[in-house]
Amino acid sequence: MKNDLVWYTAIFIGMGLGLLYIVFLVHAFAVSNWSHATEIQFAIFFTLSVRLIVLITISKQISSQPVIAYVVLSFEVFLIPLLAVLGLWTHNSSYNSLMSVILTSWIGASALLVSPYAIYQYAKGLLRTRSLLGVLVIGTLEVASMLFLVTVTEQARSIYGPSSLGQMIIQTTGINFTSVSSTSISNIPLEAGLVIYFVATLSYVSLGRVSTSLSVRLSRAFLLPLGGVIVAIIWVFSISFISSDLIFVFTVPTLVGAAVMWGIAHVR
Amino acid sequence: MKFSKRGTDFLAGLITAVTVSSILDIKIVLALCLTLILAAIISEIILVRASPEGAEITVSEPRVACFKNQQAIVTIKLRSSVQRYTTIKISELIPSRRVEAEVVSSDPLQMSVKIVPRFAGRSLGLPVRFELGDPLGFFKKEASFRLPSFVIDCLPSSILREVTPLRTFLTVVGEREGRAQGLGVEFYSVDEYKGTSEAKDIFWKKVASLADERLLVKLHAQSVHKRISICLLRMTFRDQDRIEWMDSACEGIALMGKTVIQTGSDVELLFDSGGQVASLLATNLKELAEGIMDLSVSQISNLETAAILIDKSDICVTGFKELQNVRVANVVANKPSLLISDPRTSPARIGDNAVIYDENQDFKELVGNVVRK
């Protein structure tokens, strides 16, 4: 019973993040025009697709962190230092251009192809891991990256292949990361994805216990965070519009709450 | 109350997530963190209010009896009617010097434990530690519980030692026949004539009926006392050394008792039970072992009870600390006695019939002196 619920919550977390990815993909395809993309860009895009298939295959055989295998299989990463040295040595600007195209294409292709793989790995990892630290931190980074990509593509007028997307990501990150990741988009699928992620993560934390005795009735224990969900959803989508200062609305109460929790645990 | 491993993990994850999402301005994650912390505080308050009073611990057998250094398996079960949402599980058996315990298998409400008692005597109660958990599993609260009705009887291993029955002399005029050949009047068995056999014992009627030329003799049973009384005299409090002292006393009484029973007499165990002299009769080894277990939880006697115990007994088992009292030492000195040594203690007097306990001795001489009396 408990394992089934954990399994369902992991699926819903994956679905929530997947919905954010779909929103990003829809935006990206709406403005993309790959007719002028160079062969290098296509080569990187397709080889990355092949590498991901290899990665999924070997991840079933070898248990290692997916990110390690991904970096090992990314030959672009190893080409960049070589091209940088050649560019500096020969003073030939074509090396710098090539390096720039490879780097941006790799980032753009990764955003398109690696994001769903990362979401899949994260959701799969939720079934095995017992570390809430990993669940919360990686989940936060997944949401942040998805929101960032959605915002980047939403603001884009046209994307000329993976290199163009990568270039936009680099430029946006360099200019103002904070304002970009703070989404102000009124988009139903995006909000639905966020709410699904929110509810599913809350359920996961409530249910993913190491041991549950027979005396606990899961269905009733579930009411506890459910009340919190309703309050929080109202807060996120209503009250937060009144107060623009998120630090006082969320951060301070959360940290005060954490301190209270820590205090009760140590004083009693 | 303290954080569980999961709780520590949660707190670290939450603070990191709050920091990251505050910097990146991700409202939904901040809201999630706030909701989680509120849920965690509610969960914590539920645990603070919870008490283990509704928990009931039962064991598969209320009394476990096994010989010293041998193992027994006990299953401890927890029936919980503690507050709703709160979890409870047996976390461990509190170890004691007397009984070694090792968890064989464990789930939240049941634990199988291998028990190996190291000192002879009766242990009362089973100290168990259990853990209360909050609904979200972030905190834990430990509580100890002693199961008073549970008894571990560690039988003295000297009951298993080989003991040959004592031979009594002709001068012994016992109340009953013994369990060995002797010089009594009761018929014991028939055997072939040997060089040591006496001519008056030849069983002529039987010899005449035999076809061959064998000579048969009548053997007579020895005559023994009906009952030998052994008392345990405790008059002083022993703190750390009590377990070892009682172990030696139980082993000594068991070996003497077995010798007496093998000889054909019964053993009467005398000890102080709540200011009264308790008497237990053992006619076989099983009764002897059970009697020693009752005796091992005897009370400390006052002078009046001590005087009755010494007076009624044939053999007195006591310690060096008791013999520091000159009056007691003088009275005990006149009796056959088994003395259990106490560290850094010298008795005021040791009688000629006293034997100091040593696990390698068989106390035949001490018992023999009483039987032949």
Side-chain angles (χ1 to χ4, degrees):
Chain A
M1 170 70 176
K2 188 192 80 178
N3 287 339
D4 287 349
L5 287 169
V6 172
W7 197 77
Y8 287 127
T9 54
I11 288 177
F12 275 101
I13 290 172
M15 275 172 59
L17 292 170
L19 212 52
L20 301 184
Y21 171 75
I22 289 166
V23 173
F24 152 68
L25 211 59
V26 167
H27 284 172
F29 275 114
V31 290
S32 66
N33 179 8
W34 287 29
S35 57
H36 299 292
T38 58
E39 283 183 5
I40 293 172
Q41 291 184 47
F42 276 114
I44 287 173
F45 185 81
F46 286 116
T47 55
L48 192 62
S49 311
V50 173
R51 276 176 274 163
L52 276 174
I53 293 164
V54 173
L55 204 62
I56 291 165
T57 313
I58 61 165
S59 69
K60 286 178 182 169
Q61 315 291 329
I62 307 159
S63 67
S64 70
Q65 288 295 324
V67 69
I68 296 168
Y70 177 66
V71 170
V72 169
L73 287 172
S74 295
F75 61 85
E76 298 89 346
V77 176
F78 303 105
L79 275 178
I80 286 161
L82 182 71
L83 291 169
V85 170
L86 282 171
L88 286 169
W89 186 263
T90 58
H91 297 288
N92 189 339
S93 61
S94 59
Y95 287 118
N96 296 335
S97 313
L98 184 61
M99 188 179 73
S100 167
V101 169
I102 289 172
L103 182 67
T104 50
S105 299
W106 180 63
I107 291 170
S110 295
L112 286 167
L113 298 172
V114 179
S115 300
Y117 174 69
I119 291 167
Y120 164 72
Q121 283 294 343
Y122 172 65
K124 198 174 135 191
L126 292 173
L127 299 175
R128 288 194 306 263
T129 187
R130 287 183 171 184
S131 165
L132 283 181
L133 175 69
V135 170
L136 291 172
V137 173
I138 297 172
T140 305
L141 294 176
E142 286 285 349
V143 172
S145 63
M146 283 299 117
L147 285 176
F148 175 73
L149 290 174
V150 167
T151 321
V152 167
T153 49
E154 212 232 0
Q155 289 173 353
R157 286 179 185 168
S158 56
I159 299 168
Y160 305 107
S163 175
S164 170
L165 179 62
Q167 212 169 356
M168 286 172 70
I169 290 168
I170 292 169
Q171 281 171 353
T172 318
T173 314
I175 297 161
N176 192 347
F177 188 93
T178 310
S179 67
V180 171
S181 61
S182 173
T183 177
S184 58
I185 309 156
S186 179
N187 184 324
I188 290 170
L190 183 82
E191 284 176 2
L194 289 172
V195 170
I196 290 169
Y197 169 78
F198 182 99
V199 176
T201 307
L202 202 57
S203 309
Y204 178 84
V205 174
S206 307
L207 298 172
R209 296 180 54 109
V210 176
S211 61
T212 308
S213 86
L214 296 173
S215 60
V216 172
R217 293 171 189 175
L218 289 173
S219 55
R220 291 190 180 181
F222 193 63
L223 290 172
L224 189 75
L226 206 64
V229 171
I230 294 158
V231 172
I233 289 173
I234 294 166
W235 201 330
V236 171
F237 294 103
S238 311
I239 302 167
S240 63
F241 293 115
I242 301 163
S243 171
S244 59
D245 200 339
L246 279 176
I247 289 179
F248 288 105
V249 176
F250 287 120
T251 311
V252 172
T254 309
L255 293 176
V256 168
V260 168
M261 186 179 87
W262 187 88
I264 295 172
H266 284 79
V267 169
R268 296 297 295 242
Chain B
M1 192 166 69
K2 52 189 175 185
F3 277 101
S4 64
K5 193 176 173 294
R6 182 177 151 83
T8 316
D9 215 32
F10 166 74
L11 196 63
L14 188 95
I15 290 169
T16 316
V18 166
T19 312
V20 171
S21 46
S22 291
I23 293 165
L24 300 179
D25 209 3
I26 313 165
K27 276 186 265 183
I28 193 83
V29 177
L30 280 169
L32 175 69
C33 291
L34 183 59
T35 314
L36 284 174
I37 202 77
L38 291 174
I41 290 172
I42 294 167
S43 181
E44 190 178 17
I45 290 166
I46 290 171
L47 184 63
V48 167
R49 293 170 61 83
S51 71
E53 281 165 12
E56 186 193 333
I57 293 176
T58 52
V59 281
S60 51
E61 296 170 70
R63 179 174 174 266
V64 172
C66 63
F67 284 100
K68 194 162 82 176
N69 297 327
Q70 290 186 355
Q71 66 177 52
I73 302 286
V74 179
T75 305
I76 305 163
K77 284 182 182 173
L78 183 71
R79 246 191 22 215
S80 166
S81 56
V82 293
Q83 284 82 350
R84 198 182 290 172
Y85 306 132
T86 314
T87 61
I88 189 162
K89 66 170 185 175
I90 306 166
S91 58
E92 63 171 335
L93 209 69
I94 299 169
S96 76
R97 206 154 58 88
R98 186 167 222 162
V99 180
E100 279 181 17
E102 187 190 325
V103 177
V104 180
S105 65
S106 174
D107 63 47
L109 296 177
Q110 190 168 306
M111 183 189 263
S112 286
V113 186
K114 186 173 82 180
I115 287 174
V116 185
R118 295 296 184 201
F119 296 95
R122 178 170 285 169
S123 305
L124 297 171
L126 183 71
V128 176
R129 186 169 289 137
F130 53 88
E131 201 177 278
L132 285 163
D134 66 312
L136 298 181
F138 295 155
F139 310 94
K140 57 183 178 184
K141 197 158 87 169
E142 286 187 333
S144 300
F145 183 82
R146 197 172 180 88
L147 195 66
S149 58
F150 183 69
V151 174
I152 303 173
D153 279 347
C154 175
L155 309 176
S157 53
S158 53
I159 283 191
L160 301 173
R161 272 172 69 174
E162 280 293 318
V163 172
T164 48
L166 287 170
R167 287 295 185 89
T168 54
F169 298 126
L170 182 61
T171 50
V172 176
V173 183
E175 299 93 341
R176 64 156 67 160
E177 61 181 289
R179 286 176 191 155
Q181 183 199 346
L183 300 170
V185 290
E186 293 295 325
F187 175 74
Y188 181 67
S189 70
V190 176
D191 198 4
E192 278 198 50
Y193 183 85
K194 295 183 185 94
T196 52
S197 304
E198 290 194 28
K200 71 179 173 72
D201 290 333
I202 294 172
F203 198 172
W204 291 113
K205 277 186 185 171
K206 197 77 183 169
V207 171
S209 66
L210 288 174
D212 55 24
E213 293 182 347
R214 279 187 300 146
L215 269 181
L216 297 179
V217 287
K218 278 194 236 175
L219 299 179
H220 297 273
Q222 64 179 350
S223 182
V224 295
H225 290 289
K226 191 177 178 187
R227 181 183 299 173
I228 303 291
S229 300
I230 302 172
C231 82
L232 179 72
L233 181 64
R234 288 175 60 211
M235 295 181 72
T236 55
F237 179 75
R238 289 174 178 84
D239 187 21
Q240 295 294 319
D241 309 321
R242 186 185 169 274
I243 295 171
E244 284 89 349
W245 190 91
M246 189 53 81
D247 175 62
S248 302
C250 290
E251 292 289 359
I253 293 169
L255 196 57
M256 290 191 299
K258 185 172 184 180
T259 311
V260 170
I261 288 172
Q262 296 284 59
T263 307
S265 300
D266 295 338
V267 177
E268 186 185 26
L269 298 171
L270 300 170
F271 55 92
D272 190 321
S273 175
Q276 303 289 318
V277 174
S279 164
L280 293 174
L281 190 67
T283 58
N284 54 44
L285 294 180
K286 188 170 176 283
E287 288 175 2
L288 176 70
E290 283 173 4
I292 291 170
M293 290 302 102
D294 289 338
L295 171 143
S296 69
V297 285
S298 64
Q299 309 288 310
I300 292 172
S301 309
N302 55 27
L303 270 174
E304 194 183 337
T305 319
I308 302 168
L309 280 171
I310 297 166
D311 182 52
K312 281 189 170 179
S313 63
D314 298 309
I315 302 171
C316 179
V317 179
T318 189
F320 279 11
K321 277 191 177 174
E322 280 74 9
L323 299 189
Q324 283 184 312
N325 183 322
V326 181
R327 282 172 65 193
V328 176
N330 286 333
V331 179
V332 172
N334 298 323
K335 282 249 167 202
S337 50
L338 176 67
L339 305 181
I340 314 294
S341 58
D342 285 292
R344 300 172 299 282
T345 311
S346 307
R349 187 185 163 192
I350 296 179
D352 295 336
N353 288 329
V355 173
I356 296 170
Y357 176 79
D358 175 2
E359 60 182 353
N360 298 317
Q361 278 193 27
D362 58 8
F363 315 119
K364 265 192 168 178
E365 198 182 330
L366 178 70
V367 179
N369 288 342
V370 178
V371 171
R372 289 164 194 150
K373 190 170 64 178

